Amino acid sequence: MNAPAAAPIKLSEQLATSMNRQALARRLAAETGGQGLFDAASRGRYATDASIYQVDPVGVFVPRTEADVATAIAIARDMNVPILSRGAGTSQCGQTVGEALVIDNSKYLNQVTDFDLAAMTVTVQPGIVLDHLNAWLKPHGVWFPVDVSTAAQCTIGGMAGNNSCGSRSIAYGNMVHNVEAIDAILADGTEVRFQDEQAMLRDATPAVRALLDGLRAIAAREHDEIARMVPKVLRRVGGYNIDVYHPQSERPYTPDNSVNLAHLLVGSEGTLAVTRRVTLKLMPLPTHKTLGVINFPTFVQAMEMTRHIVTLAPVAVELVDRTMIELARDNPAFRPVIDKALIGAPEAILLVEFAGASLDEQTEGLARLVELMASLGLPGSVVEMVDANAQKALWEVRKAGLNIMMSMRGDGKPVSFIEDCAVPLEHLAEYTSRLTEVFARHGTRGTWYAHASVGTLHVRPILDMRRDGAARMRAIAEEAGALVRQYKGAFSGEHGDGLVRSEWVAWQFGPRLIKAFEDIKDLFDPAGLMNPGKIVRTTRMDDTSLFRFKPGYDPVALKPALDWSAWNVQTDPVTEQESVPGTGGDPAGGFAKAVDMCNNNGHCRKFDAGTMCPSYRVTKDEQHLTRGRANTLRLALSGQLGPDGFTSETMRETLDLCVSCKGCKRDCPTGVDMARMKTEFLFHWQKKHGLSLKDRLIANLPRWAPWAARLPMLANLRNTLPGAAALTEKLLGLSAKRSLPTWRSDTFMRHVAPRANPLDATVVLFADTFNNYFESENAIAALQVLEAAGYEVHVARPAAGDAEPDRALCCGRTYLASGLVDEAKAEARRVVDAMRPFIARGIPVVGLEPSCLLTLRDEFLVMGLGKDAEALGAHAFLFEEFLAREHAAGRLKLALKALPVSRALLHGHCHQKAFDAVRPVQAVLGLIPGLSVELIESSCCGMAGSFGYEAAHYEVSMKMAELSLLPAVRAAPADALVVADGTSCRHQIADGTRGDDGQQREAVHVARVLARALAS
């Protein structure tokens, strides 16, 4: 391939100076109501998207209004600054990174502005998320059907920019087929509604008419070349849609082939205009769906049979190959779902969906699929799914396909650069086989998944972009391109051009059409300020100066406090076998490689309740997103925020609102555990900066708790003495609006006498600091329930020889929250020593507080405590987990009676959600006769240990609670039980529901509910 003829616009040295950046920031602040972000960390967080690239922007602008956008464009034009519009920043090709002023529409410009059910259209601002829009539309019985896998986070503006497609494009088409109009702002500030050409001409100003005339002249000049060079496949999203004047797609742009100029902007990646609003076509919501999962003995069979399957008129045919199946099975959230779809050990599966208004028709479609597969020699290969919940769960696994694939550890990662090649279905099997051979010749392999129905299979060969990945990427791209050309396909079939594929636009369309594209660009944007370097006048795909991991990239040397060696590995790109932990060459001991697991896919921006990420849901700031935090850590660990970036105030501020909820540990498809990363950071922070008095008091709570229990009246003065709360806010930073937990003298440990023969026990009850000193009634209730069920219970106590035999055991969570990892390790060793003889006998350890007990299964395993800690983790259960397990095994003998109430609302603690431990609570509450259990679909309650008690965090804490938890509790009948196993959650519910009369809702631990229901 020849190098591009012209390079994209580069900023002048004058503009690049900090002085001129400051001038831009001052003008934006003075002339708009939006927010400008120009510090190094903020720019760094917007320097990447889900691609392999990193380009520092001039700055970031977050507009509050559409007028702010227009003003920002005018300022940028006046200062000769490029403009780059951005939504969720999930682009896989580098469309949303560049040396420009990035305009982030996602925080405020995300509203529905017009809805016409009769016309089946809706008009939205560009920052609205697809799932948000469809949730808004659902009560009206309609939806926007371009259902991309990133629907929970991607924005409509970004989808229009990329000409997104989605799983069901075989039925509904691409984005371009579903856009009615685009209200846009041109580079010169002109606001134009792009729609049907004739409608535009009726009201056009002279300038707009000149633009339209120029476009038509270019199209007329290239009429024959369009017919010759534009691929005639549905999945073609490269270049500009110049064929709106002479349609080449197998699916018409408009029903009558009339020209709609909005379709020229779709797929233009913000290089022609800035989108202000988009008018979309809607479709009726399918009333019924069925899903057939075909299991194939070989991958080739799946490819060969796809063309027969599409003749049944399904709305989707999606591929998941063997590698993806196994990666999904390695994820605890996905394993039970994927297993239900498998028959034996298939090499590939196809998800075939039928949808429409009639259940009978969709069931018939499924029956025809079963018959077809039998006629093709694969009887009994289809798993039939009619249940909507089962279908939804499996589609979620498919949607997570890319992110599951990116969970591979080591420097080699599946890289996006040829994954969107689209070929006609009759060539699909041969194309995939030959491309697999290409991978093998270059010492790698790829994982196949996605849109078999339209010949666009996503495949990402595994390459190490820190070393020789760039050279291999180009070589593979050139061979893949030759195959695509042979099969008359499209090199760019879904995710657009960006930095990785724009170079190939000239290859795909030839010199005449690339010149036509340049002419179109110049008509719209003569100064070249709109997202330069994309589609035309591009850089090379392998320009390493644009890479996230540039030549010489190396993390700083760091001795981590926790064990990150599991990430410090290399993975063989062919066998996918990992090297021994600790052999990956990370100077940061694996910590940097763990941070690098974030691939910027933006899943943490998702719409559903889940747990990730509660602080972002409140602030909507990139800084407070799991991705934003991981990016900042990566920048700091690689020296891009200065020599002391990792322990800087910037890094502390970035992690400040992380509530360590562990939501990302479960929800992040690539396994980013920001809670653990925050602990690592805090360890190094406090080593350099020390701890405040407040932090030391909270961290050492387990040590001084016994003294407070002996003098509870003195310890509780802060809650009872007038003025004490205000004084502690001033001195310690603890909010005066909060009551603190009440110390008590009747601790649980004083309630129970030591067992004469501890090793005769069948269960060990681990009473944590909170349920021992503050809420002993929970531990007492748990003991009653366990004994009523016939278990011999030993209450855990320090081991013989413990240096502090009179102090209760503690998980060390308060130390971890302050970064005092050494002190936390000391507490962990006490627990391991005390439990060792019981674990050796296989006696389960049962705890009550999720954040404490689950520490035994999580942080204890990365403290260097050896095999005993691993054994303890395998035998540690939450109270409800243990009872649910015993019930499932038929061993639970617990007689329960009905309660005076018939309804219970359940709020899951974040750590319960992260470890899939909410369902056991539902299960054991379901054992109570006549009790209906309703799960509150809530994120973090906002208290999060000491977080919500702090004056600096009080407002954010309450906003988290008000997202869903507190409204649900307030709306519940007065006689309904509210169940919450987390002590912080219970306190938040009490504080958040307290009325002017002092009355509040009480939330109780599940142990107390079961104790009340004991039959005798």
Side-chain angles (χ1 to χ4, degrees):
M1 252 190 81
N2 295 324
I9 187 171
K10 287 287 185 180
L11 297 184
S12 66
E13 290 297 325
Q14 181 184 15
L15 179 62
T17 65
S18 61
M19 182 179 298
N20 283 276
R21 182 175 283 124
Q22 291 169 9
L24 176 60
R26 284 194 299 269
R27 286 198 61 181
L28 289 169
E31 300 175 37
T32 75
Q35 179 186 16
L37 304 170
F38 287 85
D39 61 285
S42 293
R43 287 186 290 111
R45 285 187 281 268
Y46 282 83
T48 53
D49 52 16
S51 71
I52 60 175
Y53 299 102
Q54 175 179 317
V55 183
D56 278 355
V58 176
V60 179
F61 180 62
V62 184
R64 288 182 177 271
T65 66
E66 293 174 357
D68 284 341
V69 177
T71 302
I73 292 172
I75 293 171
R77 182 175 62 250
D78 186 48
M79 297 185 70
N80 200 37
V81 177
I83 290 290
L84 195 168
S85 294
R86 175 165 162 145
T90 60
S91 297
Q92 296 172 25
C93 305
Q95 290 96 324
T96 57
V97 298
E99 194 178 4
L101 177 66
V102 172
I103 300 179
D104 182 353
N105 296 300
S106 65
K107 185 171 183 177
Y108 297 111
L109 301 183
N110 52 24
Q111 302 301 306
V112 173
T113 61
D114 186 60
F115 174 58
D116 189 336
L117 184 58
M120 293 291 280
T121 62
V122 66
T123 301
V124 300
Q125 293 177 312
I128 193 169
V129 171
L130 176 57
D131 271 1
H132 290 217
L133 172 60
N134 277 330
W136 191 95
L137 293 169
K138 187 176 181 179
H140 302 283
V142 295
W143 71 313
F144 184 64
V146 185
D147 59 334
V148 294
S149 62
T150 54
Q153 62 263 28
C154 71
T155 63
I156 292 296
M159 292 174 64
N162 287 351
N163 193 6
S164 297
C165 303
S167 299
R168 296 171 175 85
S169 64
I170 189 175
Y172 300 109
N174 306 344
M175 193 75 184
V176 70
H177 302 108
N178 293 277
V179 170
E180 183 76 18
I182 293 179
D183 294 291
I185 305 174
L186 301 184
D188 64 2
T190 304
E191 296 187 8
V192 182
R193 180 173 178 82
F194 287 85
Q195 55 182 326
D196 175 78
E197 184 183 38
Q198 295 305 311
M200 291 186 70
L201 286 169
R202 281 196 298 270
D203 302 318
T205 64
V208 172
R209 182 175 291 275
L211 173 65
L212 299 182
D213 289 345
L215 292 172
R216 182 163 281 281
I218 294 170
R221 181 187 79 201
E222 304 300 341
H223 181 275
D224 293 343
E225 192 72 356
I226 291 171
R228 190 174 75 88
M229 293 300 295
V230 174
K232 296 170 177 58
V233 292
L234 173 66
R235 289 303 196 93
R236 189 268 302 163
V237 302
Y240 296 132
N241 294 324
I242 194 172
D243 65 321
V244 294
Y245 295 96
H246 184 26
Q248 300 300 306
S249 172
E250 61 187 46
R251 187 187 188 99
Y253 290 127
T254 58
D256 59 357
N257 276 337
S258 60
V259 176
N260 186 322
L261 271 301
H263 298 158
L264 182 65
L265 293 189
V266 174
S268 65
E269 301 184 358
T271 62
L272 302 181
V274 171
T275 298
R276 190 170 65 87
R277 296 182 181 180
V278 186
T279 300
L280 306 168
K281 301 175 185 177
L282 304 176
M283 295 293 291
L285 267 172
T287 310
H288 299 285
K289 296 179 182 179
T290 59
L291 182 65
V293 185
I294 312 172
N295 287 248
F296 291 92
T298 69
F299 178 83
V300 172
Q301 283 176 302
M303 297 298 91
E304 289 176 341
M305 294 182 186
T306 297
R307 57 197 174 104
H308 301 293
I309 294 167
V310 297
T311 63
L312 300 179
V315 299
V317 183
E318 294 287 294
L319 170 74
V320 178
D321 79 351
R322 185 68 198 170
T323 301
M324 192 70 71
I325 291 170
E326 290 306 317
L327 286 170
R329 296 184 80 247
D330 288 341
N331 185 308
F334 294 146
R335 180 165 190 152
V337 177
I338 195 72
D339 281 351
K340 291 179 181 177
L342 303 180
I343 300 173
E347 287 300 308
I349 59 175
L350 287 177
L351 279 60
V352 183
E353 181 180 275
F354 300 91
S358 166
L359 178 59
D360 288 342
E361 289 181 4
Q362 312 325 314
T363 304
E364 289 172 8
L366 197 56
R368 290 198 305 273
L369 177 66
V370 173
E371 293 173 4
L372 174 65
M373 297 316 300
S375 70
L376 293 173
L378 291 177
S381 62
V382 181
V383 175
E384 300 176 54
M385 291 188 178
V386 179
D387 178 72
N389 291 329
Q391 293 179 51
K392 182 177 184 294
L394 189 58
W395 275 116
E396 288 302 316
V397 176
R398 156 58 196 96
K399 285 184 176 183
L402 167 61
N403 297 320
I404 292 172
M405 186 168 56
M406 296 302 291
S407 64
M408 185 179 298
R409 297 181 182 182
D411 294 342
K413 300 288 185 186
V415 177
S416 172
F417 63 102
I418 58 166
E419 69 168 313
D420 296 318
C421 298
V423 299
L425 283 183
E426 60 266 28
H427 303 303
L428 190 58
E430 185 177 344
Y431 167 72
T432 54
S433 296
R434 291 180 64 183
L435 193 54
T436 297
E437 294 171 1
V438 171
F439 296 156
R441 283 198 298 274
H442 293 282
T444 187
R445 66 185 299 271
T447 294
W448 299 88
Y449 71 103
H451 316 306
S453 60
V454 287
T456 303
L457 288 182
H458 296 329
V459 59
R460 293 188 171 202
I462 301 165
L463 301 174
D464 185 350
M465 301 308 294
R466 305 181 193 219
R467 296 175 179 84
D468 62 352
R472 293 190 186 194
M473 177 173 70
R474 175 163 291 280
I476 292 171
E478 289 177 349
E479 291 195 52
L483 292 176
V484 171
R485 176 160 286 169
Q486 177 183 339
Y487 297 127
K488 300 186 185 306
F491 193 79
S492 185
E494 180 168 16
H495 294 147
D497 295 324
L499 292 173
V500 78
R501 276 197 287 272
S502 286
E503 177 188 355
W504 293 78
V505 173
W507 169 92
Q508 177 83 77
F509 294 95
R512 283 186 57 180
L513 287 190
I514 195 64
K515 177 61 169 61
F517 292 164
E518 291 174 352
D519 291 345
I520 290 171
K521 168 74 170 173
D522 292 342
L523 277 175
F524 277 90
D525 180 27
L529 295 179
M530 293 289 184
N531 198 9
K534 318 302 191 306
I535 300 181
V536 298
R537 303 180 181 115
T538 69
T539 53
R540 290 171 62 92
M541 68 186 302
D542 54 347
D543 182 347
T544 57
S545 70
L546 303 177
F547 284 4
R548 188 183 309 176
F549 301 113
K550 296 174 174 61
Y553 178 95
D554 209 13
V556 298
L558 183 76
K559 184 178 181 181
L562 300 173
D563 181 7
W564 299 92
S565 63
W567 283 265
N568 192 13
V569 297
Q570 295 294 351
T571 301
D572 186 287
V574 177
T575 66
E576 295 185 16
Q577 293 298 307
E578 289 184 0
S579 65
V580 176
T583 61
D586 183 357
F591 181 49
K593 287 189 186 293
V595 170
D596 289 346
M597 290 300 294
C598 176
N599 72 334
N600 285 273
N601 65 76
H603 191 68
C604 36
R605 299 172 64 107
K606 67 179 186 174
F607 173 61
D608 58 64
T611 53
M612 183 176 67
C613 175
S615 50
Y616 171 73
R617 294 181 185 206
V618 169
T619 70
K620 298 294 190 295
D621 291 334
E622 183 75 18
Q623 178 183 19
H624 302 130
L625 186 63
T626 303
R627 175 180 71 181
R629 293 174 179 131
N631 263 325
T632 313
L633 280 167
R634 179 180 55 79
L635 293 167
L637 287 169
S638 58
Q640 297 181 68
L641 296 181
D644 297 317
F646 181 50
T647 52
S648 66
E649 178 64 20
T650 294
M651 195 69 252
R652 188 203 66 77
E653 290 176 356
T654 299
L655 291 170
D656 183 49
L657 296 189
C658 171
V659 293
S660 298
C661 68
K662 290 285 183 181
C664 47
K665 179 183 175 66
R666 176 177 175 82
D667 289 354
C668 175
T670 59
V672 173
D673 186 346
M674 192 52 61
R676 187 183 296 179
M677 291 175 182
K678 183 176 182 179
T679 296
E680 185 68 53
F681 161 76
L682 288 172
F683 171 80
H684 297 276
W685 167 269
Q686 59 86 20
K687 287 289 186 182
K688 180 176 181 179
H689 300 279
L691 289 178
S692 66
L693 176 58
K694 175 208 67 178
D695 289 337
R696 288 200 173 277
L697 281 172
I698 294 173
N700 285 288
L701 183 147
R703 291 195 173 277
W704 56 268
W707 300 97
R710 294 188 185 99
L711 300 168
M713 290 186 62
L714 180 61
N716 291 324
L717 279 178
R718 191 269 186 192
N719 285 350
T720 58
L721 185 66
L727 182 62
T728 56
E729 179 170 325
K730 183 176 181 180
L731 296 178
L732 299 176
L734 296 173
S735 174
K737 298 177 182 178
R738 291 283 191 197
S739 61
L740 297 184
T742 302
W743 293 94
R744 53 202 301 169
S745 58
D746 58 333
T747 66
F748 175 66
M749 297 302 288
R750 293 182 186 177
H751 176 82
V752 293
R755 189 178 182 86
N757 298 302
L759 295 179
D760 291 341
T762 55
V763 172
V764 176
L765 180 59
F766 173 58
D768 58 87
T769 299
F770 305 101
N771 283 301
N772 182 37
Y773 293 105
F774 298 121
E775 297 180 275
S776 57
E777 63 272 17
N778 295 332
I780 292 170
L783 180 60
Q784 291 173 344
V785 171
L786 289 170
E787 290 181 339
Y791 298 101
E792 298 292 332
V793 184
H794 166 67
V795 175
R797 298 176 184 275
D802 189 288
E804 299 177 87
D806 295 329
R807 185 166 67 84
L809 296 171
C810 174
C811 70
R813 170 61 57 187
T814 57
Y815 289 118
L816 290 171
S818 295
L820 298 175
V821 178
D822 293 335
E823 290 82 349
K825 288 180 180 179
E827 292 296 322
R829 289 190 189 95
R830 294 182 69 225
V831 174
V832 172
D833 290 344
M835 303 301 183
R836 185 177 292 110
F838 301 97
I839 297 307
R841 290 166 172 77
I843 300 173
V845 176
V846 175
L848 300 172
E849 175 62 31
S851 62
C852 293
L853 186 281
L854 293 172
T855 300
L856 277 60
R857 301 212 309 243
D858 191 358
E859 285 84 1
F860 273 34
L861 305 183
V862 292
M863 290 184 177
L865 303 179
K867 297 293 186 182
D868 288 335
E870 295 177 12
L872 173 58
H875 286 80
F877 301 92
L878 284 167
F879 172 75
E880 56 271 13
E881 287 182 308
F882 173 73
L883 293 181
R885 186 190 73 157
E886 295 294 283
H887 175 69
R891 295 189 294 264
L892 185 64
K893 309 300 181 185
L894 189 62
L896 300 173
K897 64 178 187 295
L899 295 171
V901 299
S902 60
R903 184 181 176 190
L905 273 72
L906 171 62
H907 165 69
H909 185 283
C910 288
H911 291 197
Q912 284 177 303
K913 295 171 186 173
F915 287 84
D916 196 24
V918 175
R919 285 182 292 181
V921 190
Q922 296 172 284
V924 297
L925 287 173
L927 300 177
I928 301 174
L931 185 64
S932 171
V933 182
E934 177 184 333
L935 181 65
I936 300 174
E937 291 293 342
S938 57
S939 181
C940 179
C941 75
M943 189 62 87
S946 66
F947 179 88
Y949 291 101
E950 298 169 13
H953 297 146
Y954 175 78
E955 295 299 331
V956 171
S957 168
M958 295 309 300
K959 287 179 180 178
M960 290 182 189
E962 292 290 356
L963 288 173
S964 53
L965 172 60
L966 292 181
V969 173
R970 294 191 196 105
D975 63 346
L977 281 172
V978 180
V979 183
D981 284 357
T983 182
S984 295
C985 306
R986 294 191 293 272
H987 204 118
Q988 180 76 303
I989 290 169
D991 276 3
T993 59
R994 184 181 292 113
D996 294 337
D997 58 0
Q999 296 298 309
Q1000 60 194 41
R1001 292 297 294 260
E1002 179 191 25
V1004 295
H1005 194 283
V1006 67
R1008 291 180 62 192
V1009 180
L1010 292 177
R1012 293 178 194 174
L1014 289 175
S1016 59

